[in-house]
Amino acid sequence: MFPRRCRIMSTDSTMRATINQKLTEMGERDRLKAFLGVKLTECGWKDQIKAHCKEVIKDKGLEHVTVEDLVVEITPKGRALVPDSVKKELLQRIRAFLAQHAT
Amino acid sequence: MKMDDLSLSGPDNTKLEALVHDIYSELVEDACLGLCFEVHRAVKQGCFFLDEMDQESMKEFEIVDKPGVDIFGQVYNQWKNKECECPNCKRLIAASRFAPHLEKCLGMGRNSSRIANRRLATNNNMSKSESDQEDNDDLNDNDWSYGAEKKAKKRKSDKNQTSPRRSKSLKHKNGELSSGASAEPYKYNYSVGINYETLGPEELRSLLTTCGVISEHTKKMCTRSQRCPQHTDEQRKAVRVFLLGPSALSLPNADAAVESDGYSVLDGQGLMSRLQWEDSPENSPTDSASSKSSTNHLDSRKPKKKKSAPAPFSGGGGDGPQGSGCQGSGCQGGGGGSSCSQGNIGSSNKKKRPKLPTVSIPTLYNDLN
């Protein structure tokens, strides 16, 4: 028999995969996504990021801007700009889901 | 592997926490990526910078914050005092009255047909069109016709009598109506009377049964009965002479008799005998004058069927001429009896009889007998 620790360690990636699978199958992932979108729009995060986009576009030129440019410029800022309240709430939800369905 | 074997111990917790955070990061990155795609697509489609234009256009649509003007810079009551030209009647109408005016003018609103019909009805009553032989009846029947026309008159007396709309809309609606031209001269004021400018057989018809005296100030014919207290017989005679010519002067009863087409049977005979009789009595000035007029009117009046025309022939007023006519034709019609040849007319005459003056009748009778 595997020791419990070993089991957990060895099944880490499997566990992750399983959880992710569950998240998707049960529709929780989509629900979380929608929730996040609403929250970010409410708190003005989307407008901030759009403004940042405009600057990037003006820098790079309207005609030649690519998706990659935008992604590279925006993702780090986007991640950083998420308000704490939103972050906390999302983490809470994920934890709850895990507690419910991972044990 | 059984997931339910896992328990939240210390190291597991961190694992789980890490997992939670990983899942969170994944979600946030998804959101960012979605936004990037959206923006990139908008840029490539050209709709990203829609709300930011050149300064010139921005100035054009700036919010206006001046008193007396709305945020677009437009004045509030700008069109209140403007006048609009009606495309139908070419009149200048106030803006606030424009819509109701159009309704009436074009004849397309809810009440426009009602008003038009009413106007048509009063027009028909007023105008002596060839085809309408009931007019004198209406005139003579004071009871109902006057009331109806007074009502119409009251409504119309407020309106401008000389407004171009009246004649134009009348022409527009009643193309066949002969009173199109005479509509304006015709006032719907029955108690005051018809405008004496009316011409033709209509005028004669109305003249013969009504008082007809022309008022000095209004220039209208009095439409009251022959016995109207405001005017004397002298005045009536003068009016008839003036309007119809000296030869046309005659008693209403005599003329009416001439007009009646109940004379189809003994037109010539009855009329001629009556005319002869009329020559003899000199009692009333109208009678002596009427003899000439009767001759003149004989031919013109024959085809017309006038109910009022036979009026004198019924009992009551014009028994004299009737009697003479009867004698001429061989009937022994006395005073009040309707002539045998004109039985139906006589009965209908009786209706009109009370209106005609009885002053001359005894005298005529005397002469007749």
Side-chain angles (χ1 to χ4, degrees), chain B residues 312-329:
Chain B
F313 275 72
S314 60
D319 295 334
Q322 185 181 25
S324 72
C326 286
Q327 278 182 353
S329 58

PDB file of all heavy atoms in Angstrom, chain B residues 312-329:
ATOM      1  N   PRO B 312    -101.951  78.491 -53.308  1.00  0.00           N
ATOM      2  CA  PRO B 312    -103.086  79.408 -53.339  1.00  0.00           C
ATOM      3  C   PRO B 312    -104.391  78.740 -53.756  1.00  0.00           C
ATOM      4  O   PRO B 312    -105.458  79.265 -53.507  1.00  0.00           O
ATOM      5  CB  PRO B 312    -102.666  80.466 -54.365  1.00  0.00           C
ATOM      6  CG  PRO B 312    -101.520  79.872 -55.090  1.00  0.00           C
ATOM      7  CD  PRO B 312    -100.874  78.914 -54.166  1.00  0.00           C
ATOM      8  N   PHE B 313    -104.270  77.630 -54.341  1.00  0.00           N
ATOM      9  CA  PHE B 313    -105.473  77.014 -54.863  1.00  0.00           C
ATOM     10  C   PHE B 313    -106.234  76.223 -53.836  1.00  0.00           C
ATOM     11  O   PHE B 313    -107.345  75.809 -54.061  1.00  0.00           O
ATOM     12  CB  PHE B 313    -105.129  76.093 -56.046  1.00  0.00           C
ATOM     13  CG  PHE B 313    -105.053  76.888 -57.311  1.00  0.00           C
ATOM     14  CD1 PHE B 313    -103.992  77.746 -57.521  1.00  0.00           C
ATOM     15  CD2 PHE B 313    -106.066  76.825 -58.250  1.00  0.00           C
ATOM     16  CE1 PHE B 313    -103.941  78.491 -58.689  1.00  0.00           C
ATOM     17  CE2 PHE B 313    -106.011  77.583 -59.409  1.00  0.00           C
ATOM     18  CZ  PHE B 313    -104.942  78.413 -59.638  1.00  0.00           C
ATOM     19  N   SER B 314    -105.645  76.038 -52.750  1.00  0.00           N
ATOM     20  CA  SER B 314    -106.390  75.312 -51.726  1.00  0.00           C
ATOM     21  C   SER B 314    -107.280  76.280 -50.996  1.00  0.00           C
ATOM     22  O   SER B 314    -107.280  77.484 -51.249  1.00  0.00           O
ATOM     23  CB  SER B 314    -105.424  74.655 -50.751  1.00  0.00           C
ATOM     24  OG  SER B 314    -104.643  75.646 -50.135  1.00  0.00           O
ATOM     25  N   GLY B 315    -108.009  75.746 -50.069  1.00  0.00           N
ATOM     26  CA  GLY B 315    -108.920  76.608 -49.331  1.00  0.00           C
ATOM     27  C   GLY B 315    -108.187  77.649 -48.531  1.00  0.00           C
ATOM     28  O   GLY B 315    -107.050  77.490 -48.155  1.00  0.00           O
ATOM     29  N   GLY B 316    -108.823  78.730 -48.359  1.00  0.00           N
ATOM     30  CA  GLY B 316    -108.160  79.757 -47.565  1.00  0.00           C
ATOM     31  C   GLY B 316    -107.852  80.982 -48.388  1.00  0.00           C
ATOM     32  O   GLY B 316    -108.736  81.727 -48.759  1.00  0.00           O
ATOM     33  N   GLY B 317    -106.654  81.146 -48.746  1.00  0.00           N
ATOM     34  CA  GLY B 317    -106.231  82.384 -49.400  1.00  0.00           C
ATOM     35  C   GLY B 317    -106.688  82.537 -50.814  1.00  0.00           C
ATOM     36  O   GLY B 317    -107.670  83.202 -51.101  1.00  0.00           O
ATOM     37  N   GLY B 318    -106.028  81.896 -51.659  1.00  0.00           N
ATOM     38  CA  GLY B 318    -106.257  82.234 -53.070  1.00  0.00           C
ATOM     39  C   GLY B 318    -107.437  81.505 -53.659  1.00  0.00           C
ATOM     40  O   GLY B 318    -107.299  80.825 -54.663  1.00  0.00           O
ATOM     41  N   ASP B 319    -108.494  81.639 -53.067  1.00  0.00           N
ATOM     42  CA  ASP B 319    -109.654  80.936 -53.613  1.00  0.00           C
ATOM     43  C   ASP B 319    -110.138  81.607 -54.861  1.00  0.00           C
ATOM     44  O   ASP B 319    -110.710  80.992 -55.745  1.00  0.00           O
ATOM     45  CB  ASP B 319    -110.790  80.928 -52.589  1.00  0.00           C
ATOM     46  CG  ASP B 319    -110.366  80.107 -51.386  1.00  0.00           C
ATOM     47  OD1 ASP B 319    -109.510  79.227 -51.595  1.00  0.00           O
ATOM     48  OD2 ASP B 319    -110.870  80.364 -50.291  1.00  0.00           O
ATOM     49  N   GLY B 320    -109.880  82.853 -54.902  1.00  0.00           N
ATOM     50  CA  GLY B 320    -110.375  83.593 -56.058  1.00  0.00           C
ATOM     51  C   GLY B 320    -109.833  83.022 -57.359  1.00  0.00           C
ATOM     52  O   GLY B 320    -110.569  82.515 -58.191  1.00  0.00           O
ATOM     53  N   PRO B 321    -108.557  83.054 -57.494  1.00  0.00           N
ATOM     54  CA  PRO B 321    -107.995  82.571 -58.757  1.00  0.00           C
ATOM     55  C   PRO B 321    -108.350  81.111 -58.996  1.00  0.00           C
ATOM     56  O   PRO B 321    -108.600  80.697 -60.109  1.00  0.00           O
ATOM     57  CB  PRO B 321    -106.502  82.767 -58.593  1.00  0.00           C
ATOM     58  CG  PRO B 321    -106.286  83.173 -57.173  1.00  0.00           C
ATOM     59  CD  PRO B 321    -107.571  83.656 -56.641  1.00  0.00           C
ATOM     60  N   GLN B 322    -108.364  80.422 -57.932  1.00  0.00           N
ATOM     61  CA  GLN B 322    -108.668  78.997 -58.106  1.00  0.00           C
ATOM     62  C   GLN B 322    -110.092  78.839 -58.636  1.00  0.00           C
ATOM     63  O   GLN B 322    -110.350  78.064 -59.532  1.00  0.00           O
ATOM     64  CB  GLN B 322    -108.516  78.288 -56.759  1.00  0.00           C
ATOM     65  CG  GLN B 322    -108.691  76.792 -56.876  1.00  0.00           C
ATOM     66  CD  GLN B 322    -108.559  76.132 -55.539  1.00  0.00           C
ATOM     67  OE1 GLN B 322    -108.803  76.772 -54.529  1.00  0.00           O
ATOM     68  NE2 GLN B 322    -108.189  74.877 -55.532  1.00  0.00           N
ATOM     69  N   GLY B 323    -110.926  79.626 -58.040  1.00  0.00           N
ATOM     70  CA  GLY B 323    -112.321  79.518 -58.472  1.00  0.00           C
ATOM     71  C   GLY B 323    -112.456  79.855 -59.933  1.00  0.00           C
ATOM     72  O   GLY B 323    -113.131  79.177 -60.702  1.00  0.00           O
ATOM     73  N   SER B 324    -111.735  80.864 -60.289  1.00  0.00           N
ATOM     74  CA  SER B 324    -111.863  81.288 -61.685  1.00  0.00           C
ATOM     75  C   SER B 324    -111.312  80.204 -62.597  1.00  0.00           C
ATOM     76  O   SER B 324    -111.873  79.899 -63.639  1.00  0.00           O
ATOM     77  CB  SER B 324    -111.114  82.604 -61.895  1.00  0.00           C
ATOM     78  OG  SER B 324    -109.719  82.345 -61.857  1.00  0.00           O
ATOM     79  N   GLY B 325    -110.245  79.643 -62.140  1.00  0.00           N
ATOM     80  CA  GLY B 325    -109.656  78.595 -62.954  1.00  0.00           C
ATOM     81  C   GLY B 325    -110.641  77.441 -63.111  1.00  0.00           C
ATOM     82  O   GLY B 325    -110.832  76.887 -64.183  1.00  0.00           O
ATOM     83  N   CYS B 326    -111.273  77.155 -62.018  1.00  0.00           N
ATOM     84  CA  CYS B 326    -112.221  76.051 -62.074  1.00  0.00           C
ATOM     85  C   CYS B 326    -113.378  76.378 -62.989  1.00  0.00           C
ATOM     86  O   CYS B 326    -113.839  75.543 -63.753  1.00  0.00           O
ATOM     87  CB  CYS B 326    -112.739  75.766 -60.653  1.00  0.00           C
ATOM     88  SG  CYS B 326    -111.504  74.941 -59.664  1.00  0.00           S
ATOM     89  N   GLN B 327    -113.784  77.580 -62.884  1.00  0.00           N
ATOM     90  CA  GLN B 327    -114.907  77.971 -63.740  1.00  0.00           C
ATOM     91  C   GLN B 327    -114.519  77.823 -65.193  1.00  0.00           C
ATOM     92  O   GLN B 327    -115.276  77.342 -66.016  1.00  0.00           O
ATOM     93  CB  GLN B 327    -115.280  79.429 -63.462  1.00  0.00           C
ATOM     94  CG  GLN B 327    -116.164  79.560 -62.243  1.00  0.00           C
ATOM     95  CD  GLN B 327    -116.569  81.007 -62.023  1.00  0.00           C
ATOM     96  OE1 GLN B 327    -116.084  81.887 -62.709  1.00  0.00           O
ATOM     97  NE2 GLN B 327    -117.472  81.241 -61.080  1.00  0.00           N
ATOM     98  N   GLY B 328    -113.310  78.272 -65.428  1.00  0.00           N
ATOM     99  CA  GLY B 328    -112.856  78.205 -66.811  1.00  0.00           C
ATOM    100  C   GLY B 328    -112.854  76.783 -67.325  1.00  0.00           C
ATOM    101  O   GLY B 328    -113.232  76.496 -68.453  1.00  0.00           O
ATOM    102  N   SER B 329    -112.459  75.902 -66.449  1.00  0.00           N
ATOM    103  CA  SER B 329    -112.366  74.522 -66.897  1.00  0.00           C
ATOM    104  C   SER B 329    -113.668  73.779 -66.712  1.00  0.00           C
ATOM    105  O   SER B 329    -113.761  72.604 -66.983  1.00  0.00           O
ATOM    106  CB  SER B 329    -111.243  73.827 -66.147  1.00  0.00           C
ATOM    107  OG  SER B 329    -111.530  73.919 -64.761  1.00  0.00           O
TER     108      SER B 329
END
